[in-house]
Amino acid sequence: MEHSPHTVSDVMTRTVVAVGQEARFKEIVETMEQYKVSALPVLAGEGRVIGVVSEADLLPKEEFRGSELSRLEQARRLDDVRKAGGVTARELMSAPALTVHPGDTLAQAARTMAHTSVKRLPVVDDEGLLRGIVSRSDLLKVFLRSDEELAAEVRSDVLDRLFAGSAGEVEAVVTDGVVTLRGSFPTAAQLPVAARLVRAVEGVVDVRLDVAGTTPAPTEPGSVAGPR
């Protein structure tokens, strides 16, 4: 079945605040404060992303101020010790930068964020040039889609294709992003398949099955019927 999920380019912020690799510590802090961001892409040349400097990269300078670490502690936190002595973005940044591409799916971006515990990712093109930035809140925008919009996509991408020419009658009712599939499924094997495909529709919060034997719900906003 063909499916065109939303991509990073659909939700990313295209105007991005960034710094050059020679930006000084105080300049980085002032930029973060001015634009209310907690991390900044670090650029080289014509805009190629070479790293990211975040609040976490800057904190060791304060943490280690006036403190003496044991040799064991220094060895264990070598990267933080190095950053505590950093002055420029090049010395402070985390590199190489974790990035995504505009054509990546939201699921791919979400997995990268989850596995690496980062809050935002620079979006780069095939040459590594900065094209935008995507944050956790951007990825959640798909859940703002209306019930009517979700219902229409469930019908066109799932019901009309999965049950085309079938003897069953299936209806999708969407309430607050939760999709309930009601009706008569031609075979029991189609139940988990239908649920999986509907769950893949971006913006769907959950999927519930109400199989044959129930009385179909009346047509209401956010409700569509599949093939009959």
Side-chain angles (χ1 to χ4, degrees):
M1 295 179 65
E2 296 179 1
H3 182 64
S4 300
H6 288 77
T7 63
V8 167
S9 64
D10 294 325
V11 300
M12 71 183 189
T13 299
R14 299 178 185 276
T15 302
V16 186
V17 181
V19 293
Q21 57 184 328
E22 298 306 322
R24 310 288 286 181
F25 188 99
K26 188 172 182 179
E27 177 188 348
I28 296 169
V29 175
E30 289 174 342
T31 302
M32 288 181 175
E33 174 62 23
Q34 178 181 354
Y35 292 97
K36 306 303 179 186
V37 295
S38 60
L40 297 165
V42 181
L43 308 182
E46 298 299 318
R48 182 170 53 87
V49 178
I50 60 173
V52 172
V53 61
S54 69
E55 291 173 338
D57 296 318
L58 305 180
L59 283 176
K61 188 173 290 294
E62 182 64 26
E63 179 186 357
F64 297 149
R65 185 186 304 277
S67 63
E68 292 291 337
L69 297 180
S70 67
R71 290 185 177 181
L72 178 62
E73 186 71 5
Q74 288 183 36
R76 189 176 69 85
R77 301 187 60 186
L78 192 60
D79 193 48
D80 286 340
V81 171
R82 175 183 61 79
K83 290 179 179 180
V87 175
T88 65
R90 176 172 48 81
E91 298 165 338
L92 294 160
M93 68 184 184
S94 296
L98 291 169
T99 62
V100 290
H101 290 82
D104 289 347
T105 66
L106 302 188
Q108 289 173 314
R111 280 195 292 270
T112 299
M113 286 187 187
H115 293 166
T116 57
S117 299
V118 298
K119 297 179 180 179
R120 58 189 51 78
L121 294 166
V123 184
V124 300
D125 61 19
D126 291 339
E127 283 72 46
L129 301 180
L130 184 64
R131 290 294 177 255
I133 198 159
V134 63
S135 67
R136 291 176 179 177
S137 61
D138 291 328
L139 298 183
L140 294 176
K141 289 178 182 177
V142 292
F143 293 104
L144 299 177
R145 301 178 70 194
S146 69
D147 289 346
E148 291 79 7
E149 185 179 356
L150 289 173
E153 188 166 332
V154 167
R155 175 177 182 173
S156 63
D157 283 13
V158 181
L159 300 184
D160 286 350
R161 301 187 181 194
L162 185 61
F163 300 109
S166 300
E169 178 182 324
V170 182
E171 178 187 38
V173 178
V174 186
T175 305
D176 294 331
V178 177
V179 180
T180 300
L181 296 180
R182 294 176 175 171
S184 173
F185 288 79
T187 66
Q190 289 178 311
L191 294 174
V193 175
R196 176 174 58 81
L197 293 174
V198 171
R199 191 169 282 110
V201 174
E202 280 151 350
V204 169
V205 175
D206 197 10
V207 180
R208 298 172 183 172
L209 299 175
D210 192 352
V211 295
T214 62
T215 301
T219 302
E220 53 187 333
S223 300
V224 294
R228 297 174 179 270

